[in-house]
Amino acid sequence: MLLLRPDRWLKFEESEVEMELPNHAKQLLLQLNQQRSKGFFCDVIIVVENALFRAHKNILAASSMYFKSLVLHDNLINLDTDMVSATIFRQILDFIYTGKLLGIDQASEQNFNALLTAASYLQLHDLAAFCRKKMKRNGKTFHGKLIGPSPGKLGRGHRLSSTPIIQTRYAASPEELKRQQAGELHRVDATGDDLYMASSIKGNSHSHSQNSGTSKSSNTNGTNNSREQEQMLGLDLSKKSPSVPPHMSQEDMQLGECNQGSPHSASVSATNSASFEDNTTNPHKLENSESTDRNDITDNQNLADTGQSKNFRLSSLNTGWIKQEKVFNRQESANCREESASVMNGVIMGPLVKSLERDSSHHFDHTMHCKEEVEEENGKECSDDSGHSEEESGHPSSHAYRPGQDGFETVVYGDNLYVCIPCGKGFPSSEQLNAHVETHTEEDLYIKDEADSLAPQSLPYPNDSRPYKCSVCEKSYRDPSTLRQHEKTHWLSRPFPCNICGKMFTQRGTMTRHMRSHLGLKPFACEECGMRFTRQYRLTEHMRVHSGEKPYECQVCGGKFTQQRNLISHMRMHTSPT
DNA sequence: CTGGGGATGGGGCCC
DNA sequence: CGGGCCCCATCCCCA
Protein backbone atom coordinates (compact mmCIF):
# COMPACT_ATOMS: atom_id res chain seq x y z
CA MET A 1 0.00 0.00 0.00
CA LEU A 2 1.31 3.37 -0.86
CA LEU A 3 1.02 5.80 1.95
CA LEU A 4 1.34 8.73 -0.34
CA ARG A 5 -0.34 8.12 -3.58
CA PRO A 6 0.89 9.93 -6.66
CA ASP A 7 -2.45 11.63 -7.18
CA ARG A 8 -2.21 13.20 -3.77
CA TRP A 9 1.21 14.49 -4.52
CA LEU A 10 -0.20 15.98 -7.65
CA LYS A 11 -2.86 17.73 -5.68
CA PHE A 12 -0.32 19.18 -3.32
CA GLU A 13 1.75 20.54 -6.14
CA GLU A 14 -1.17 21.96 -8.04
CA SER A 15 -2.67 23.77 -5.16
CA GLU A 16 0.66 24.71 -3.66
CA VAL A 17 -0.84 24.23 -0.28
CA GLU A 18 1.31 22.87 2.44
CA MET A 19 -0.30 19.86 3.87
CA GLU A 20 0.68 17.47 6.49
CA LEU A 21 -0.72 14.05 6.77
CA PRO A 22 -1.43 13.70 10.43
CA ASN A 23 -0.79 10.03 10.60
CA HIS A 24 2.09 9.89 8.22
CA ALA A 25 4.80 9.07 10.73
CA LYS A 26 2.60 6.64 12.54
CA GLN A 27 1.60 4.89 9.36
CA LEU A 28 5.17 4.70 8.27
CA LEU A 29 6.22 3.15 11.53
CA LEU A 30 3.34 0.74 11.43
CA GLN A 31 4.32 -0.35 7.98
CA LEU A 32 7.92 -0.74 8.97
CA ASN A 33 7.01 -2.71 12.03
CA GLN A 34 4.81 -4.94 9.99
CA GLN A 35 7.63 -5.50 7.58
CA ARG A 36 9.91 -6.31 10.42
CA SER A 37 7.48 -8.83 11.82
CA LYS A 38 7.44 -10.55 8.46
CA GLY A 39 11.11 -10.21 7.90
CA PHE A 40 10.57 -8.13 4.79
CA PHE A 41 13.54 -6.02 3.83
CA CYS A 42 15.21 -6.80 7.09
CA ASP A 43 18.89 -6.39 6.57
CA VAL A 44 20.36 -6.98 9.96
CA ILE A 45 20.16 -9.65 12.59
CA ILE A 46 20.69 -8.84 16.22
CA VAL A 47 21.75 -11.67 18.40
CA VAL A 48 20.93 -11.44 22.06
CA GLU A 49 21.58 -14.41 24.22
CA ASN A 50 19.95 -17.26 22.36
CA ALA A 51 17.55 -15.19 20.36
CA LEU A 52 17.87 -13.62 16.98
CA PHE A 53 16.00 -10.50 15.99
CA ARG A 54 15.64 -9.25 12.50
CA ALA A 55 15.39 -5.57 11.85
CA HIS A 56 16.14 -2.76 9.45
CA LYS A 57 19.45 -1.05 9.62
CA ASN A 58 17.92 2.30 8.82
CA ILE A 59 15.56 2.11 11.73
CA LEU A 60 18.21 1.05 14.16
CA ALA A 61 20.62 3.65 12.91
CA ALA A 62 17.99 6.33 13.27
CA SER A 63 17.30 5.21 16.79
CA SER A 64 20.74 5.37 18.26
CA MET A 65 24.25 6.33 17.40
CA TYR A 66 25.39 3.10 18.87
CA PHE A 67 23.27 1.09 16.50
CA LYS A 68 24.35 3.39 13.73
CA SER A 69 27.93 2.49 14.26
CA LEU A 70 27.12 -1.18 14.64
CA VAL A 71 25.09 -1.60 11.51
CA LEU A 72 27.44 0.32 9.34
CA HIS A 73 29.27 -2.71 8.08
CA ASP A 74 27.82 -5.66 9.81
CA ASN A 75 24.71 -7.58 9.13
CA LEU A 76 24.95 -9.55 12.29
CA ILE A 77 25.17 -7.82 15.61
CA ASN A 78 25.72 -9.46 18.90
CA LEU A 79 24.78 -7.50 21.94
CA ASP A 80 26.41 -7.74 25.28
CA THR A 81 24.17 -9.97 27.33
CA ASP A 82 25.42 -8.39 30.49
CA MET A 83 23.68 -5.28 29.37
CA VAL A 84 20.60 -6.54 27.64
CA SER A 85 18.65 -9.76 27.73
CA ALA A 86 16.62 -11.19 24.92
CA THR A 87 13.39 -10.36 26.66
CA ILE A 88 14.42 -6.80 27.25
CA PHE A 89 15.71 -6.39 23.76
CA ARG A 90 12.42 -7.58 22.36
CA GLN A 91 10.70 -4.82 24.31
CA ILE A 92 13.27 -2.36 23.13
CA LEU A 93 12.95 -3.36 19.53
CA ASP A 94 9.20 -3.08 19.79
CA PHE A 95 9.72 0.31 21.30
CA ILE A 96 11.98 1.42 18.50
CA TYR A 97 9.43 0.39 15.93
CA THR A 98 6.33 1.55 17.72
CA GLY A 99 7.32 4.11 20.25
CA LYS A 100 5.51 2.04 22.81
CA LEU A 101 6.72 -0.07 25.62
CA LEU A 102 4.70 -3.22 25.37
CA GLY A 103 4.47 -6.09 27.75
CA ILE A 104 6.32 -4.23 30.42
CA ASP A 105 5.56 -4.91 33.99
CA GLN A 106 4.92 -1.43 35.19
CA ALA A 107 5.31 -2.38 38.77
CA SER A 108 8.50 -4.24 38.29
CA GLU A 109 11.52 -2.39 39.45
CA GLN A 110 13.68 -5.07 37.94
CA ASN A 111 12.12 -4.60 34.58
CA PHE A 112 12.83 -0.89 34.56
CA ASN A 113 16.28 -1.49 35.89
CA ALA A 114 16.99 -3.86 33.07
CA LEU A 115 15.39 -1.57 30.56
CA LEU A 116 17.41 1.37 31.77
CA THR A 117 20.60 -0.62 31.64
CA ALA A 118 19.86 -1.74 28.13
CA ALA A 119 18.71 1.66 26.99
CA SER A 120 21.87 3.24 28.30
CA TYR A 121 23.97 0.59 26.71
CA LEU A 122 22.24 1.00 23.38
CA GLN A 123 22.26 4.76 23.68
CA LEU A 124 18.51 5.01 23.45
CA HIS A 125 18.51 8.16 25.48
CA ASP A 126 14.83 8.90 25.37
CA LEU A 127 13.98 5.44 26.53
CA ALA A 128 16.57 5.68 29.28
CA ALA A 129 15.14 9.00 30.37
CA PHE A 130 11.68 7.54 30.40
CA CYS A 131 12.83 4.64 32.54
CA ARG A 132 14.54 6.96 34.95
CA LYS A 133 11.47 9.10 35.15
CA LYS A 134 9.25 6.12 35.69
CA MET A 135 11.46 4.73 38.39
CA LYS A 136 11.70 8.06 40.07
CA ARG A 137 7.96 8.34 40.01
CA ASN A 138 7.70 4.90 41.55
CA GLY A 139 10.26 5.85 44.12
CA LYS A 140 12.62 3.21 42.91
CA THR A 141 16.33 3.40 42.61
CA PHE A 142 18.43 2.25 39.80
CA HIS A 143 20.54 -0.80 40.44
CA GLY A 144 21.62 -1.62 36.95
CA LYS A 145 24.70 -0.78 34.98
CA LEU A 146 24.47 2.72 33.73
CA ILE A 147 27.17 2.63 31.20
CA GLY A 148 27.35 2.72 27.51
CA PRO A 149 29.06 0.15 25.38
CA SER A 150 32.18 -0.64 27.21
CA PRO A 151 35.31 0.56 25.56
CA GLY A 152 36.75 -2.85 26.00
CA LYS A 153 34.01 -4.37 23.97
CA LEU A 154 34.22 -1.88 21.23
CA GLY A 155 37.77 -0.87 21.51
CA ARG A 156 39.38 -3.55 19.52
CA GLY A 157 37.14 -3.31 16.56
CA HIS A 158 37.25 0.42 16.49
CA ARG A 159 40.88 0.66 17.06
CA LEU A 160 41.71 -1.63 14.25
CA SER A 161 39.13 -0.85 11.75
CA SER A 162 36.65 1.67 12.92
CA THR A 163 34.04 -1.00 12.79
CA PRO A 164 32.30 -1.95 15.95
CA ILE A 165 33.22 -5.27 17.26
CA ILE A 166 30.48 -7.76 17.53
CA GLN A 167 29.96 -9.43 20.80
CA THR A 168 28.81 -12.96 20.87
CA ARG A 169 27.96 -14.59 24.07
CA TYR A 170 26.27 -17.78 23.43
CA ALA A 171 25.61 -19.73 26.47
CA ALA A 172 23.66 -22.82 25.81
CA SER A 173 21.78 -24.20 28.69
CA PRO A 174 23.09 -27.41 30.18
CA GLU A 175 20.21 -29.25 28.60
CA GLU A 176 20.97 -27.74 25.25
CA LEU A 177 24.61 -28.54 25.56
CA LYS A 178 23.81 -32.03 26.49
CA ARG A 179 21.53 -32.39 23.55
CA GLN A 180 24.11 -30.82 21.33
CA GLN A 181 26.74 -33.22 22.48
CA ALA A 182 24.38 -36.07 22.08
CA GLY A 183 24.03 -35.19 18.46
CA GLU A 184 20.38 -34.32 18.70
CA LEU A 185 21.27 -31.01 17.23
CA HIS A 186 21.72 -32.56 13.93
CA ARG A 187 18.29 -33.87 13.59
CA VAL A 188 16.37 -32.12 10.95
CA ASP A 189 13.29 -30.49 12.17
CA ALA A 190 10.67 -31.33 9.69
CA THR A 191 8.18 -29.03 11.22
CA GLY A 192 9.79 -26.06 9.65
CA ASP A 193 10.15 -24.06 12.80
CA ASP A 194 12.00 -20.90 12.24
CA LEU A 195 14.73 -19.40 14.19
CA TYR A 196 13.79 -17.76 17.38
CA MET A 197 13.61 -14.33 15.97
CA ALA A 198 11.60 -11.40 16.92
CA SER A 199 9.18 -12.08 14.16
CA SER A 200 8.66 -15.68 14.99
CA ILE A 201 8.18 -14.81 18.59
CA LYS A 202 5.32 -12.70 17.52
CA GLY A 203 3.86 -15.62 15.73
CA ASN A 204 4.37 -14.53 12.21
CA SER A 205 5.25 -16.98 9.60
CA HIS A 206 8.50 -17.16 7.80
CA SER A 207 7.52 -20.07 5.79
CA HIS A 208 8.11 -18.14 2.63
CA SER A 209 11.77 -18.34 3.22
CA GLN A 210 13.79 -17.29 0.28
CA ASN A 211 17.17 -18.46 -0.57
CA SER A 212 19.50 -16.19 -2.27
CA GLY A 213 19.63 -18.32 -5.30
CA THR A 214 22.78 -16.68 -6.38
CA SER A 215 25.21 -18.31 -4.14
CA LYS A 216 27.11 -21.28 -5.25
CA SER A 217 27.39 -22.42 -1.76
CA SER A 218 24.77 -24.65 -0.41
CA ASN A 219 25.80 -23.53 2.99
CA THR A 220 24.52 -20.08 2.59
CA ASN A 221 21.28 -21.26 1.20
CA GLY A 222 20.71 -23.98 3.62
CA THR A 223 19.16 -23.02 6.80
CA ASN A 224 17.83 -24.95 9.58
CA ASN A 225 15.23 -24.15 11.92
CA SER A 226 15.51 -26.37 14.81
CA ARG A 227 15.32 -24.82 18.18
CA GLU A 228 18.87 -25.71 18.78
CA GLN A 229 19.81 -23.11 16.29
CA GLU A 230 19.13 -20.60 18.93
CA GLN A 231 22.41 -21.42 20.47
CA MET A 232 24.52 -21.14 17.44
CA LEU A 233 27.30 -18.67 17.01
CA GLY A 234 29.44 -19.44 19.90
CA LEU A 235 32.11 -17.12 18.64
CA ASP A 236 32.84 -13.62 17.70
CA LEU A 237 32.37 -13.74 14.02
CA SER A 238 32.93 -10.13 13.46
CA LYS A 239 35.42 -8.86 11.05
CA LYS A 240 36.66 -5.53 10.10
CA SER A 241 36.48 -3.75 6.85
CA PRO A 242 39.87 -2.65 5.82
CA SER A 243 39.19 1.01 5.94
CA VAL A 244 36.82 3.61 7.10
CA PRO A 245 34.27 4.12 4.41
CA PRO A 246 34.26 7.46 2.67
CA HIS A 247 30.97 8.56 4.15
CA MET A 248 32.05 7.85 7.67
CA SER A 249 35.08 9.48 9.06
CA GLN A 250 37.13 8.32 11.96
CA GLU A 251 35.55 11.09 13.92
CA ASP A 252 32.15 9.76 13.08
CA MET A 253 33.12 6.41 14.33
CA GLN A 254 34.60 7.85 17.42
CA LEU A 255 31.42 9.73 17.97
CA GLY A 256 29.46 6.55 17.74
CA GLU A 257 31.72 5.01 20.23
CA CYS A 258 32.26 7.79 22.68
CA ASN A 259 29.24 9.96 22.91
CA GLN A 260 27.43 7.85 25.35
CA GLY A 261 26.38 10.71 27.44
CA SER A 262 26.44 13.42 24.90
CA PRO A 263 23.54 14.77 22.96
CA HIS A 264 23.01 12.75 19.88
CA SER A 265 22.22 13.80 16.43
CA ALA A 266 19.05 15.56 15.48
CA SER A 267 17.77 12.63 13.57
CA VAL A 268 18.20 10.30 16.43
CA SER A 269 16.70 12.68 18.84
CA ALA A 270 13.81 13.40 16.60
CA THR A 271 13.07 9.80 16.03
CA ASN A 272 13.13 8.88 19.59
CA SER A 273 11.26 11.85 20.78
CA ALA A 274 8.64 11.75 18.15
CA SER A 275 7.94 8.12 18.53
CA PHE A 276 7.96 8.36 22.21
CA GLU A 277 5.49 11.15 22.45
CA ASP A 278 3.28 9.63 19.88
CA ASN A 279 2.39 6.59 21.83
CA THR A 280 -1.27 6.39 21.20
CA THR A 281 -2.42 3.07 20.02
CA ASN A 282 -3.48 2.61 16.51
CA PRO A 283 -5.82 -0.29 16.36
CA HIS A 284 -6.42 -0.40 12.70
CA LYS A 285 -4.36 -2.68 10.65
CA LEU A 286 -2.57 -1.67 7.57
CA GLU A 287 -3.60 -3.26 4.41
CA ASN A 288 -1.51 -6.23 3.75
CA SER A 289 0.30 -6.22 0.50
CA GLU A 290 1.87 -9.54 0.95
CA SER A 291 1.91 -10.54 -2.63
CA THR A 292 3.83 -7.47 -3.55
CA ASP A 293 6.12 -7.85 -0.65
CA ARG A 294 6.83 -11.38 -1.44
CA ASN A 295 7.83 -10.46 -4.88
CA ASP A 296 9.86 -7.63 -3.65
CA ILE A 297 11.67 -9.60 -1.10
CA THR A 298 13.23 -11.78 -3.68
CA ASP A 299 14.93 -8.84 -5.20
CA ASN A 300 15.54 -7.05 -2.06
CA GLN A 301 17.04 -9.72 0.02
CA ASN A 302 20.39 -8.30 0.60
CA LEU A 303 23.58 -9.59 1.90
CA ALA A 304 22.16 -10.29 5.24
CA ASP A 305 19.54 -12.47 3.79
CA THR A 306 21.74 -14.45 1.58
CA GLY A 307 23.67 -15.78 4.44
CA GLN A 308 21.58 -14.90 7.38
CA SER A 309 18.62 -16.38 5.81
CA LYS A 310 15.44 -16.67 7.73
CA ASN A 311 15.65 -20.34 8.24
CA PHE A 312 18.92 -21.78 9.16
CA ARG A 313 18.65 -25.33 8.16
CA LEU A 314 21.00 -27.89 9.45
CA SER A 315 21.05 -29.94 6.39
CA SER A 316 24.22 -28.54 5.02
CA LEU A 317 25.99 -30.31 7.77
CA ASN A 318 25.32 -33.40 5.85
CA THR A 319 27.10 -31.93 2.91
CA GLY A 320 30.04 -31.26 5.05
CA TRP A 321 30.33 -34.70 6.39
CA ILE A 322 29.65 -36.47 3.21
CA LYS A 323 32.07 -34.24 1.49
CA GLN A 324 34.64 -35.07 4.02
CA GLU A 325 34.14 -38.74 3.55
CA LYS A 326 34.32 -38.24 -0.14
CA VAL A 327 37.51 -36.35 0.13
CA PHE A 328 38.85 -39.03 2.30
CA ASN A 329 38.03 -41.67 -0.20
CA ARG A 330 39.63 -39.70 -2.93
CA GLN A 331 42.72 -38.54 -1.24
CA GLU A 332 45.19 -41.29 -0.99
CA SER A 333 47.50 -39.02 0.84
CA ALA A 334 45.20 -38.86 3.80
CA ASN A 335 47.07 -40.34 6.62
CA CYS A 336 45.87 -43.06 8.80
CA ARG A 337 44.81 -40.98 11.71
CA GLU A 338 42.83 -38.68 9.57
CA GLU A 339 41.13 -41.76 8.39
CA SER A 340 40.35 -42.74 11.90
CA ALA A 341 38.90 -39.35 12.52
CA SER A 342 36.62 -39.83 9.60
CA VAL A 343 35.53 -43.09 11.00
CA MET A 344 34.67 -41.59 14.27
CA ASN A 345 32.95 -38.73 12.67
CA GLY A 346 31.00 -41.08 10.61
CA VAL A 347 29.89 -43.02 13.59
CA ILE A 348 28.70 -40.01 15.38
CA MET A 349 27.17 -38.39 12.43
CA GLY A 350 25.81 -41.54 10.97
CA PRO A 351 22.25 -41.38 12.11
CA LEU A 352 22.05 -37.90 10.85
CA VAL A 353 22.68 -38.88 7.32
CA LYS A 354 19.71 -41.10 7.36
CA SER A 355 17.65 -38.52 9.03
CA LEU A 356 18.53 -35.97 6.45
CA GLU A 357 17.94 -38.33 3.66
CA ARG A 358 14.52 -38.98 4.99
CA ASP A 359 13.53 -35.50 5.94
CA SER A 360 15.12 -32.91 3.82
CA SER A 361 16.45 -34.27 0.63
CA HIS A 362 14.38 -31.91 -1.42
CA HIS A 363 16.08 -28.96 0.13
CA PHE A 364 19.57 -29.94 -0.67
CA ASP A 365 20.30 -31.34 -3.99
CA HIS A 366 23.94 -30.83 -3.47
CA THR A 367 23.85 -32.72 -0.27
CA MET A 368 22.15 -35.64 -1.77
CA HIS A 369 24.32 -35.48 -4.76
CA CYS A 370 27.34 -35.83 -2.57
CA LYS A 371 25.75 -38.60 -0.65
CA GLU A 372 24.87 -40.43 -3.79
CA GLU A 373 28.40 -40.13 -4.92
CA VAL A 374 29.66 -41.55 -1.73
CA GLU A 375 27.25 -44.38 -1.82
CA GLU A 376 28.14 -45.03 -5.36
CA GLU A 377 31.78 -45.10 -4.49
CA ASN A 378 31.19 -47.44 -1.67
CA GLY A 379 28.91 -49.60 -3.65
CA LYS A 380 26.53 -50.21 -0.85
CA GLU A 381 23.87 -48.53 1.06
CA CYS A 382 23.84 -47.72 4.68
CA SER A 383 22.06 -50.47 6.42
CA ASP A 384 21.58 -49.06 9.84
CA ASP A 385 22.22 -46.05 11.89
CA SER A 386 25.37 -47.22 13.44
CA GLY A 387 27.42 -49.00 10.93
CA HIS A 388 27.28 -47.13 7.71
CA SER A 389 30.05 -44.76 8.44
CA GLU A 390 32.53 -47.52 8.50
CA GLU A 391 31.11 -48.71 5.29
CA GLU A 392 31.47 -45.29 3.85
CA SER A 393 35.03 -45.13 4.83
CA GLY A 394 35.66 -48.48 3.33
CA HIS A 395 35.99 -50.57 6.42
CA PRO A 396 34.56 -53.98 6.13
CA SER A 397 33.17 -54.43 9.58
CA SER A 398 30.42 -52.29 10.85
CA HIS A 399 31.97 -52.10 14.24
CA ALA A 400 35.59 -52.50 13.51
CA TYR A 401 38.15 -49.85 13.11
CA ARG A 402 41.24 -50.66 11.18
CA PRO A 403 43.28 -47.60 10.64
CA GLY A 404 46.38 -48.73 8.90
CA GLN A 405 50.09 -48.82 9.11
CA ASP A 406 51.09 -46.26 11.59
CA GLY A 407 50.77 -48.23 14.72
CA PHE A 408 47.10 -48.06 15.39
CA GLU A 409 45.51 -51.23 16.41
CA THR A 410 42.21 -52.58 15.44
CA VAL A 411 39.46 -51.49 17.74
CA VAL A 412 36.32 -53.45 18.04
CA TYR A 413 33.44 -51.24 18.94
CA GLY A 414 31.00 -53.81 20.14
CA ASP A 415 28.12 -51.90 21.66
CA ASN A 416 30.30 -48.88 22.18
CA LEU A 417 29.74 -47.16 18.93
CA TYR A 418 31.32 -43.90 19.93
CA VAL A 419 35.02 -44.26 19.86
CA CYS A 420 37.70 -41.92 21.05
CA ILE A 421 40.28 -41.76 18.34
CA PRO A 422 43.31 -40.89 20.42
CA CYS A 423 42.93 -43.76 22.83
CA GLY A 424 40.56 -46.07 21.05
CA LYS A 425 38.12 -46.41 23.91
CA GLY A 426 34.56 -47.01 22.98
CA PHE A 427 31.51 -45.46 24.57
CA PRO A 428 27.86 -46.31 24.33
CA SER A 429 26.75 -42.74 23.88
CA SER A 430 28.03 -39.59 22.31
CA GLU A 431 27.63 -37.78 25.62
CA GLN A 432 30.01 -40.15 27.27
CA LEU A 433 32.40 -39.97 24.38
CA ASN A 434 32.32 -36.21 24.40
CA ALA A 435 32.91 -36.09 28.11
CA HIS A 436 35.76 -38.46 27.69
CA VAL A 437 37.30 -36.66 24.74
CA GLU A 438 37.35 -33.40 26.61
CA THR A 439 39.23 -34.90 29.49
CA HIS A 440 41.46 -36.72 27.13
CA THR A 441 42.29 -33.60 25.24
CA GLU A 442 43.11 -31.66 28.32
CA GLU A 443 45.28 -34.42 29.62
CA ASP A 444 47.13 -34.71 26.41
CA LEU A 445 47.54 -31.01 26.12
CA TYR A 446 48.89 -30.93 29.61
CA ILE A 447 51.38 -33.60 28.77
CA LYS A 448 52.26 -31.75 25.63
CA ASP A 449 52.77 -28.57 27.55
CA GLU A 450 55.11 -30.31 29.87
CA ALA A 451 56.98 -31.77 26.97
CA ASP A 452 57.17 -28.36 25.39
CA SER A 453 58.61 -26.82 28.45
CA LEU A 454 61.33 -29.41 28.41
CA ALA A 455 61.80 -29.42 24.71
CA PRO A 456 64.49 -26.78 24.25
CA GLN A 457 66.95 -28.65 26.44
CA SER A 458 66.22 -32.04 25.07
CA LEU A 459 66.12 -31.24 21.41
CA PRO A 460 68.29 -33.47 19.33
CA TYR A 461 69.02 -30.67 16.92
CA PRO A 462 69.08 -27.48 18.91
CA ASN A 463 70.43 -25.43 16.08
CA ASP A 464 67.87 -26.59 13.61
CA SER A 465 65.66 -23.71 12.52
CA ARG A 466 62.67 -26.01 12.85
CA PRO A 467 63.48 -28.03 15.88
CA TYR A 468 59.98 -29.15 16.80
CA LYS A 469 59.31 -32.29 14.89
CA CYS A 470 56.03 -34.08 14.61
CA SER A 471 56.14 -37.50 16.15
CA VAL A 472 53.76 -38.86 13.57
CA CYS A 473 54.88 -37.40 10.30
CA GLU A 474 58.06 -35.82 9.08
CA LYS A 475 57.01 -32.24 9.53
CA SER A 476 58.85 -29.91 11.81
CA TYR A 477 58.12 -26.46 13.14
CA ARG A 478 59.78 -23.47 14.60
CA ASP A 479 57.76 -23.26 17.74
CA PRO A 480 56.07 -25.75 20.02
CA SER A 481 52.64 -24.25 19.73
CA THR A 482 52.63 -24.72 16.00
CA LEU A 483 53.77 -28.27 16.44
CA ARG A 484 51.01 -28.84 18.93
CA GLN A 485 48.55 -27.34 16.53
CA HIS A 486 49.83 -29.60 13.81
CA GLU A 487 49.82 -32.71 15.94
CA LYS A 488 46.22 -32.17 16.77
CA THR A 489 45.48 -32.84 13.15
CA HIS A 490 46.84 -36.32 13.71
CA TRP A 491 45.49 -37.43 17.00
CA LEU A 492 42.43 -35.37 17.63
CA SER A 493 39.28 -35.51 15.74
CA ARG A 494 37.84 -32.20 14.81
CA PRO A 495 37.05 -30.47 18.04
CA PHE A 496 35.45 -27.35 16.64
CA PRO A 497 31.93 -27.87 15.39
CA CYS A 498 30.00 -25.36 13.41
CA ASN A 499 26.88 -24.75 15.43
CA ILE A 500 24.93 -24.04 12.32
CA CYS A 501 25.67 -27.01 10.14
CA GLY A 502 27.51 -29.30 12.49
CA LYS A 503 30.58 -29.59 10.38
CA MET A 504 33.69 -30.13 12.42
CA PHE A 505 36.95 -28.30 12.05
CA THR A 506 40.47 -28.85 13.16
CA GLN A 507 41.03 -25.25 14.12
CA ARG A 508 38.79 -22.77 15.77
CA GLY A 509 39.77 -20.07 13.34
CA THR A 510 38.74 -22.19 10.41
CA MET A 511 35.42 -22.86 12.01
CA THR A 512 34.90 -19.18 12.72
CA ARG A 513 35.72 -18.37 9.16
CA HIS A 514 33.36 -21.05 8.02
CA MET A 515 30.55 -19.62 10.10
CA ARG A 516 31.04 -16.28 8.50
CA SER A 517 30.13 -17.83 5.22
CA HIS A 518 26.93 -19.20 6.74
CA LEU A 519 26.00 -15.80 7.97
CA GLY A 520 26.98 -13.89 4.89
CA LEU A 521 29.43 -11.84 6.84
CA LYS A 522 31.68 -10.28 4.29
CA PRO A 523 33.51 -7.52 6.02
CA PHE A 524 36.10 -6.86 3.37
CA ALA A 525 34.67 -4.58 0.78
CA CYS A 526 36.18 -3.56 -2.51
CA GLU A 527 36.14 0.19 -2.76
CA GLU A 528 36.04 0.00 -6.54
CA CYS A 529 33.03 -2.18 -7.13
CA GLY A 530 31.60 -2.77 -3.69
CA MET A 531 32.03 -6.48 -3.87
CA ARG A 532 32.52 -7.98 -0.47
CA PHE A 533 34.62 -10.85 0.74
CA THR A 534 34.90 -13.00 3.77
CA ARG A 535 38.66 -12.76 3.83
CA GLN A 536 41.13 -9.98 3.50
CA TYR A 537 43.26 -12.06 1.22
CA ARG A 538 40.38 -12.50 -1.18
CA LEU A 539 39.98 -8.80 -1.37
CA THR A 540 43.65 -8.39 -2.10
CA GLU A 541 43.32 -10.93 -4.87
CA HIS A 542 40.23 -9.28 -6.17
CA MET A 543 41.80 -5.84 -6.27
CA ARG A 544 44.08 -7.09 -9.01
CA VAL A 545 41.02 -7.37 -11.20
CA HIS A 546 40.72 -3.62 -11.01
CA SER A 547 44.39 -2.80 -11.10
CA GLY A 548 45.12 -5.20 -13.93
CA GLU A 549 48.14 -6.39 -12.08
CA LYS A 550 49.18 -9.89 -13.10
CA PRO A 551 52.10 -10.78 -10.93
CA TYR A 552 52.08 -14.48 -11.62
CA GLU A 553 53.84 -15.49 -14.79
CA CYS A 554 54.03 -18.92 -16.35
CA GLN A 555 57.65 -19.86 -16.88
CA VAL A 556 56.65 -22.12 -19.73
CA CYS A 557 54.51 -19.94 -21.94
CA GLY A 558 54.87 -16.55 -20.36
CA GLY A 559 51.19 -16.27 -19.62
CA LYS A 560 50.40 -13.89 -16.81
CA PHE A 561 47.81 -14.29 -14.15
CA THR A 562 46.22 -12.20 -11.49
CA GLN A 563 46.09 -15.06 -9.07
CA GLN A 564 48.62 -17.59 -8.09
CA ARG A 565 46.09 -20.35 -7.96
CA ASN A 566 45.13 -19.74 -11.52
CA LEU A 567 48.77 -19.94 -12.51
CA ILE A 568 48.98 -23.23 -10.69
CA SER A 569 45.91 -24.49 -12.46
CA HIS A 570 47.40 -23.24 -15.69
CA MET A 571 50.62 -25.08 -15.00
CA ARG A 572 48.69 -28.30 -14.74
CA MET A 573 47.68 -27.80 -18.32
CA HIS A 574 51.34 -27.76 -19.24
CA THR A 575 52.28 -30.72 -17.15
CA SER A 576 49.33 -33.02 -17.65
CA PRO A 577 49.05 -34.83 -20.97
CA THR A 578 45.41 -33.88 -21.36
C1' DC B 1 30.62 -28.86 -27.41
C1' DT B 2 35.00 -28.29 -25.39
C1' DG B 3 38.95 -26.42 -23.30
C1' DG B 4 41.28 -22.54 -21.22
C1' DG B 5 41.26 -18.57 -18.48
C1' DG B 6 39.16 -15.40 -15.03
C1' DA B 7 37.14 -15.10 -10.84
C1' DT B 8 35.39 -16.74 -6.62
C1' DG B 9 34.21 -19.86 -2.47
C1' DG B 10 35.62 -23.01 1.06
C1' DG B 11 38.84 -25.81 3.92
C1' DG B 12 43.57 -26.97 5.67
C1' DC B 13 47.42 -25.38 7.59
C1' DC B 14 51.47 -22.62 8.99
C1' DC B 15 53.21 -18.33 10.85
C1' DC C 1 43.44 -15.67 16.84
C1' DG C 2 44.08 -13.43 12.57
C1' DG C 3 46.73 -13.22 8.34
C1' DG C 4 48.41 -15.41 4.61
C1' DC C 5 48.93 -18.93 1.50
C1' DC C 6 47.95 -23.41 -0.63
C1' DC C 7 44.78 -26.56 -2.56
C1' DC C 8 40.43 -28.08 -4.53
C1' DA C 9 36.18 -27.05 -6.63
C1' DT C 10 33.09 -24.46 -9.27
C1' DC C 11 30.92 -21.08 -12.24
C1' DC C 12 31.09 -18.11 -16.06
C1' DC C 13 32.78 -16.38 -20.30
C1' DC C 14 34.86 -16.82 -24.58
C1' DA C 15 37.38 -18.62 -28.47
Side-chain angles (χ1 to χ4, degrees), chain A residues 210-222 301-303 305-309 366 516-520 522 531 534:
Chain A
Q210 310 266 340
N211 290 334
S212 74
T214 56
S215 171
K216 287 182 275 185
S217 163
S218 58
N219 288 346
T220 53
N221 292 345
Q301 290 296 307
N302 63 4
L303 221 168
D305 277 295
T306 58
Q308 302 156 9
S309 156
H366 177 60
R516 267 188 234 127
S517 66
H518 273 309
L519 298 166
K522 297 183 174 182
M531 193 161 180
T534 54

Side-chain angles (χ1 to χ4, degrees), chain A residues 29 32 55-64 67 96-97 271:
Chain A
L29 265 182
L32 286 166
H56 303 97
K57 285 185 175 183
N58 276 339
I59 302 298
L60 297 182
S63 304
S64 105
F67 273 131
I96 289 173
Y97 274 82
T271 304

